[in-house]
Amino acid sequence: MKLPKLNIQREYIETAVSIILRLPALFVFETWYKSDPDVALKDTSEDVVLIAYFVYYSIVFAVFALATIPLEKLVMTYMYLITAGLFYGAYHLSQLYIEAEEGSGVDISNSLLAALKNFDVTKRIVLHLSAQCLIATVSAYLVDIKDWRKYTLLIFTLPMIARLSSLPVRDLQAVQNFCVIFAVIIFVFHTFNSLNSGLHVLKVGLTQFQEAVTEVGWIPVIITYWHAVMLPVQLVIFWICLFTSQIFVFFKTKRVSTDGSLLFMLAAMGECCATPVSLFALCITISYLSYYVLTMTKVFLLGWNGLNHDNDLLRGWTEGFTLLLIAMQTGLLDLEPLQRAFLMSILLFIIVSSLVQSMYEIIDPILLVLSASHSRSLSKHLRVLALCTVLWVLPLYMTYAICQYFDLDFWLMIIISSCVLTSVQVIGSLLIYWLFLYDTFRTETWERLDDVVYYIRSTVRVLEFMVAVFVVFFGVKESFYSQWSWLNSGILLIHCYFNVWQRLQSGWKTFLLRREAVTKIESLVEASPEQLSQYNDLCAICYQSLNSARITACGHYFHGCCLRKWLYVKDSCPLCHQQINENSVSENTRVTNDININNIDDLYDIDDDEEEEDSVSEQEDSDSCSEVEEHNLIINNL
């Protein structure tokens, strides 16, 4: 039986290797940021302090190099690092050999024959020589050394050779020290020899970076690097590893009870965002988690086919950005571990409230389309209703929990307002859903449906406006009587503009349009039963039977509710594109007659200019086509 071949593209393999090899740079920088050289170098000589500081700040350069150099150079760098690790292993193995010889108490300083007669000594020498040769061979292969220089990697075999040469045990440590000094000299010479190549790579990279920034700007270059090295994936894996190790340490060193598991989880999350890198990684992780939660919400409602035309790649980033903004405002990095764990609980409330709002934005159009599509699939309706129930119950429970366990401030009031608004919006959408569903089972057209839907949506908008105004007053109160900050003031101004002023403008504009449409509809003649039976046709907007209708000035019949929706978009007849009411028609006719009487000479000029008339006719035809397309679009929406 033949095993199936795995056809993995080279690009995927290189991407995975790049992520794995660049990941240690994040851990190194995390450790570097947490370390304090002043404490470690206390009571140390000045020369050692200078060298230590040079090495300490050189780590930042090394981390930057690991994160940015090309993959080929990165692999070669790791080959040298592995070789350095093997060299250290050879040193450690040689030191173990010397300690074993010192502890054996066997004296073979007279001759080589005495060493060969002792089986333990011979076995130890052979084993250590074989191990040293194997390490040297692997090291030479990794750094691709093929000439005489590969024999210098056998430097740590000197203690064994010296022992075979009848050197006393007490002198083996001196030989070991010579091997260490020789190895350091080899490392320094090789580093100096490779420094030219490294500087050339750095120069080429900086030149390419400068040219790219000059040509396209900073932001496209950063975005290209962001996707090229898969930095978000690196940060997610880095934070998950950090969080897992922290949970392991907590459970290993402390007896975590079932009741305190949530507290330890929050403490672990707080410990895993103690540096700028880990905090940014947490925000990216939250963004990815939110993205997949929202994507699975869409799959739960629409199935996998709902992702065929799903191009919303920014979904979920709102939650991550909100977390980063609040963490910067509250000074999360400067807090003590216990305070950080407490703040993480509040941040989780913020993330969940934002996530629930994003889920509602996905489910709202699906809910309305499902209610108006005459779908008989019970499973679709049950899935949508079950999710809507969660979306209006969960925010209310979060509001209760926040009021129960926390003292209210500006940020918590924003969370509560978001939760309350989400519950109100979901309940309003459910009411409209049930109205549309009821309308589908009616045999006659419900002309008052549009009014009822408008009243429900207006009520929801008014409640949203009232909550937004309340948050503004609460924020102003906090600014005067509590600690003031520029960030709070900026967020309050943004809240005033987007959630108060724009909502007020939008609501007032909708009210004026609706009032104008209702006035125009009321001015039209209502068709009598005799006229409807004589007309005996469908409404040209919704294609439903005409049980009641309004007659336009041009003599066309439409449902009053359908015509009102049309007037929200265009003030003309859907069929002939004339003015809707008689007053507009009379006024247009009078103006047209005045123009014809006063400008009769111009008409002759227009008749002579046939090319201009053809172009105007073509423009009118195109306008008519666009109006017909607009009419069809509104019919589809209805």
Side-chain angles (χ1 to χ4, degrees):
M1 180 178 180
K2 293 183 178 180
L3 296 175
K5 295 182 179 180
L6 295 177
N7 295 324
I8 302 176
Q9 296 184 5
R10 181 183 179 87
E11 180 182 358
Y12 296 151
I13 298 176
E14 291 181 352
T15 302
V17 171
S18 176
I19 293 173
I20 294 172
L21 295 184
R22 297 183 195 276
L23 199 58
L26 297 174
F27 288 98
V28 172
F29 187 79
E30 177 80 5
T31 306
W32 176 86
Y33 191 88
K34 290 183 177 180
S35 61
D36 188 0
D38 295 333
V39 176
L41 298 175
K42 190 176 182 181
D43 299 331
T44 309
S45 58
E46 186 176 354
D47 55 344
V48 175
V49 171
L50 292 176
I51 296 174
Y53 270 107
F54 175 77
V55 174
Y56 177 76
Y57 289 106
S58 298
I59 294 175
V60 180
F61 177 78
V63 168
F64 179 77
L66 289 177
T68 56
I69 61 176
L71 181 59
E72 181 181 357
K73 300 296 182 181
L74 182 63
V75 171
M76 184 56 64
T77 302
Y78 270 93
M79 294 298 102
Y80 282 112
L81 291 177
I82 294 173
T83 302
L86 291 175
F87 231 54
Y88 177 77
Y91 156 75
H92 189 66
L93 192 63
S94 177
Q95 189 66 34
L96 290 177
Y97 169 76
I98 294 174
E99 293 176 359
E101 286 293 325
E102 290 176 349
S104 64
V106 179
D107 185 15
I108 58 170
S109 58
N110 295 328
S111 62
L112 176 62
L113 185 61
L116 296 177
K117 287 182 178 180
N118 192 314
F119 178 74
D120 292 334
V121 173
T122 304
K123 181 178 67 173
R124 189 160 45 245
I125 291 175
V126 171
L127 288 177
H128 281 269
L129 280 174
S130 301
Q132 293 290 348
C133 291
L134 179 62
I135 291 174
T137 302
V138 174
S139 300
Y141 174 76
L142 291 177
V143 296
D144 195 21
I145 299 178
K146 298 180 180 179
D147 52 9
W148 61 269
R149 293 178 299 168
K150 62 183 178 181
Y151 296 107
T152 59
L153 301 177
L154 295 170
I155 185 62
F156 286 104
T157 60
L158 285 182
M160 283 71 77
I161 297 174
R163 188 60 170 154
L164 287 174
S165 302
S166 303
L167 188 71
V169 175
R170 63 178 180 274
D171 296 331
L172 290 180
Q173 189 61 47
V175 177
Q176 176 75 353
N177 295 337
F178 169 77
C179 295
V180 172
I181 295 173
F182 186 81
V184 171
I185 293 174
I186 292 176
F187 174 77
V188 170
F189 272 99
H190 187 77
T191 303
F192 182 77
N193 190 36
S194 304
L195 188 61
N196 188 26
S197 176
L199 292 177
H200 177 71
V201 173
L202 179 62
K203 179 182 177 181
V204 172
L206 291 177
T207 303
Q208 293 177 351
F209 176 77
Q210 184 179 5
E211 292 176 354
V213 170
T214 304
E215 185 174 354
V216 298
W218 284 90
I219 296 179
V221 172
I222 294 174
I223 293 176
T224 302
Y225 170 77
W226 178 274
H227 293 291
V229 301
M230 300 294 288
L231 186 59
V233 179
Q234 294 182 45
L235 293 171
V236 170
I237 297 175
F238 162 71
W239 193 86
I240 291 175
C241 294
L242 209 62
F243 180 71
T244 305
S245 62
Q246 196 66 45
I247 289 292
F248 176 77
V249 170
F250 278 167
F251 276 86
K252 192 72 175 178
T253 58
K254 302 177 182 179
R255 296 181 179 179
V256 182
S257 60
T258 306
D259 297 335
S261 58
L262 179 59
L263 179 61
F264 276 94
M265 292 285 287
L266 293 174
M269 292 183 65
E271 288 293 331
C272 295
C273 56
T275 65
V277 176
S278 56
L279 176 60
F280 188 64
L282 174 60
C283 297
I284 299 297
T285 304
I286 293 296
S287 299
Y288 268 77
L289 181 62
S290 302
Y291 173 80
Y292 286 111
V293 169
L294 296 176
T295 302
M296 294 310 298
T297 299
K298 201 165 187 179
V299 171
F300 175 74
L301 297 175
L302 301 176
W304 294 105
N305 294 329
L307 301 179
N308 292 337
H309 303 287
D310 187 18
N311 297 321
D312 189 5
L313 299 179
L314 298 179
R315 182 187 299 139
W317 288 99
T318 303
E319 288 73 21
F321 178 76
T322 303
L323 175 62
L324 181 61
L325 181 66
I326 299 177
M328 293 172 57
Q329 193 272 339
T330 55
L332 181 67
L333 300 178
D334 300 328
L335 298 178
E336 296 296 327
L338 186 60
Q339 295 174 333
R340 204 180 297 129
F342 175 77
L343 183 58
M344 287 306 302
S345 62
I346 300 178
L347 293 178
L348 288 180
F349 276 111
I350 297 175
I351 293 168
V352 174
S353 63
S354 178
L355 187 60
V356 169
Q357 179 64 31
S358 300
M359 293 174 67
Y360 166 73
E361 293 174 359
I362 291 176
I363 197 174
D364 182 54
I366 298 174
L367 180 68
L368 297 181
V369 169
L370 186 63
S371 61
S373 63
H374 304 279
S375 176
R376 301 290 182 177
S377 176
L378 183 61
S379 62
K380 291 182 179 180
H381 288 272
L382 290 178
R383 289 200 300 267
V384 173
L385 291 177
L387 191 55
C388 284
T389 303
V390 174
L391 292 185
W392 75 263
V393 171
L394 181 60
L396 293 180
Y397 176 77
M398 291 172 55
T399 302
Y400 167 77
I402 291 174
C403 296
Q404 186 77 14
Y405 300 108
F406 299 100
D407 295 329
L408 295 182
D409 59 3
F410 179 65
W411 286 100
L412 290 178
M413 185 55 62
I414 291 179
I415 302 174
I416 293 175
S417 65
S418 177
C419 293
V420 172
L421 288 180
T422 302
S423 297
V424 170
Q425 290 170 347
V426 174
I427 293 174
S429 297
L430 284 174
L431 291 176
I432 296 174
Y433 163 82
W434 288 112
L435 289 175
F436 283 158
L437 201 63
Y438 169 73
D439 183 61
T440 58
F441 291 100
R442 288 174 55 93
T443 57
E444 299 179 355
T445 302
W446 187 10
E447 293 193 4
R448 302 295 299 174
L449 176 61
D450 183 63
D451 294 329
V452 177
V453 171
Y454 174 75
Y455 295 146
I456 293 175
R457 288 179 173 170
S458 299
T459 304
V460 173
R461 296 295 183 268
V462 169
L463 291 175
E464 291 178 358
F465 181 76
M466 292 175 60
V467 172
V469 172
F470 178 77
V471 171
V472 170
F473 281 113
F474 189 88
V476 173
K477 171 184 167 296
E478 285 285 313
S479 299
F480 279 104
Y481 297 101
S482 184
Q483 186 177 4
W484 180 86
S485 67
W486 282 104
L487 184 58
N488 283 354
S489 301
I491 292 176
L492 188 61
L493 292 175
I494 294 173
H495 176 78
C496 290
Y497 179 75
F498 288 100
N499 293 336
V500 177
W501 175 248
Q502 285 198 347
R503 280 179 177 171
L504 183 62
Q505 279 188 320
S506 177
W508 182 249
K509 182 179 180 181
T510 303
F511 171 75
L512 292 179
L513 289 175
R514 184 176 183 81
R515 187 180 65 177
E516 183 181 359
V518 170
T519 303
K520 291 180 179 179
I521 293 298
E522 293 297 333
S523 66
L524 298 178
V525 179
E526 187 173 0
S528 63
E530 292 79 10
Q531 289 175 315
L532 291 175
S533 61
Q534 183 180 0
Y535 186 72
N536 192 22
D537 202 348
L538 303 176
C539 174
I541 296 178
C542 66
Y543 300 121
Q544 299 294 325
S545 60
L546 286 170
N547 298 320
S548 63
R550 295 281 182 172
I551 306 176
T552 62
C554 51
H556 294 119
Y557 289 62
F558 303 98
H559 285 130
C561 58
C562 297
L563 192 57
R564 182 167 52 197
K565 295 176 183 177
W566 172 268
L567 290 176
Y568 294 158
V569 180
K570 198 169 185 63
D571 186 16
S572 62
C573 176
L575 294 179
C576 63
H577 306 296
Q578 295 185 15
Q579 294 297 321
I580 287 293
N581 48 25
E582 295 179 353
N583 295 332
S584 300
V585 174
S586 300
E587 181 67 20
N588 289 340
T589 303
R590 185 184 63 81
V591 173
T592 303
N593 291 334
D594 292 341
I595 294 175
N596 290 336
I597 293 173
N598 295 328
N599 300 286
I600 191 168
D601 294 334
D602 295 338
L603 293 177
Y604 288 107
D605 296 336
I606 294 175
D607 289 335
D608 293 336
D609 194 0
E610 295 179 355
E611 293 180 357
E612 183 178 356
E613 181 178 348
D614 292 339
S615 63
V616 171
S617 177
E618 291 176 359
Q619 181 66 30
E620 290 177 351
D621 291 339
S622 62
D623 293 341
S624 178
C625 292
S626 63
E627 290 173 349
V628 171
E629 293 177 356
E630 189 176 7
H631 169 240
N632 293 332
L633 178 60
I634 294 178
I635 290 175
N636 293 332
N637 293 333
L638 293 174

